[in-house]
Amino acid sequence: MDALDRLAEPGLDLLGRVDTLLAGGAPEGHRLWPLLRRMQVLPGDALRGFLDLHPAPLNGAGHAVRGLVRGYDEVCRTLTDPAAWSGPAASAYDQARSALLRHLDEGPESLVGRLEATAGYADALADWMEGSRLALARALADVLGSAEAVRVHAATAPGAEPGVAGLLAAADIAHRVLAVLGVAYDGAETLLRQWSPSLAETTWRGSTAGVAYHDSPLRVR
């Protein structure tokens, strides 16, 4: 459990009240409007969605993926073993063997390159989640102890009239929370742009055309 989990219950209560006050819209001209138009969500709903993002499952994912590289390394050692690839058959299949080596482990577009990129992306995503959750927890801590929170609670008490003060307080809290979430979403989009080229599906880059099977004792009939 991190700081955001510990603040989830009071945070959801406060932001639920904020959402109720803002259901009919924010005050005209308030700085919250650009964030509402951009994110298309009220802060309570945004917090509920963000609480489901946990970095723990990703923390060990990069290490686990990198562990798969050992299997590819073993195959590559076999393909480059002089003792295993000698004689007429080895010469006949040399082009195919070289192509397979390139496909397995030569550059970022190889299978090993894609595995390493996947592991790196998992690590970066886990770091983003941890940092974003911490930033959101700090924002929640600030608004929970603010004068605006007192006004929001008063405006949403049973039988109370929201009033202009309550609506302004709700809009101010919503702006502070959605601003932090906006930065987090920008970070996620940046990560995706940075890593997408390295995560694309790899394709076979070799060619077995021209392999002289007829020179090999392993003739194809």
Side-chain angles (χ1 to χ4, degrees), residues 141-216:
D142 287 343
V143 299
L144 284 167
S146 67
E148 289 83 3
V150 175
R151 294 191 194 101
V152 165
H153 277 278
T156 53
E161 290 293 332
V164 176
L167 188 58
L168 282 171
D172 288 342
I173 288 175
H175 179 270
R176 290 160 72 176
V177 172
L178 288 182
V180 172
L181 287 171
V183 171
Y185 293 161
D186 286 343
E189 290 176 356
T190 298
L191 277 180
L192 190 58
R193 284 195 303 270
Q194 289 176 341
W195 286 94
S196 285
S198 301
L199 299 174
E201 182 179 359
T202 190
T203 56
W204 175 255
R205 295 179 296 151
S207 173
T208 56
V211 176
Y213 292 105
H214 59 276
D215 290 334
S216 167

Side-chain angles (χ1 to χ4, degrees), residues 110-148:
S110 67
L111 294 181
V112 169
R114 289 294 193 255
L115 279 176
E116 291 174 344
T118 300
Y121 179 61
D123 291 342
L125 197 56
D127 289 342
W128 168 79
M129 285 185 186
E130 289 177 357
S132 298
R133 286 175 66 90
L134 179 58
L136 183 55
R138 287 171 175 165
L140 277 180
D142 287 343
V143 299
L144 284 167
S146 67
E148 289 83 3

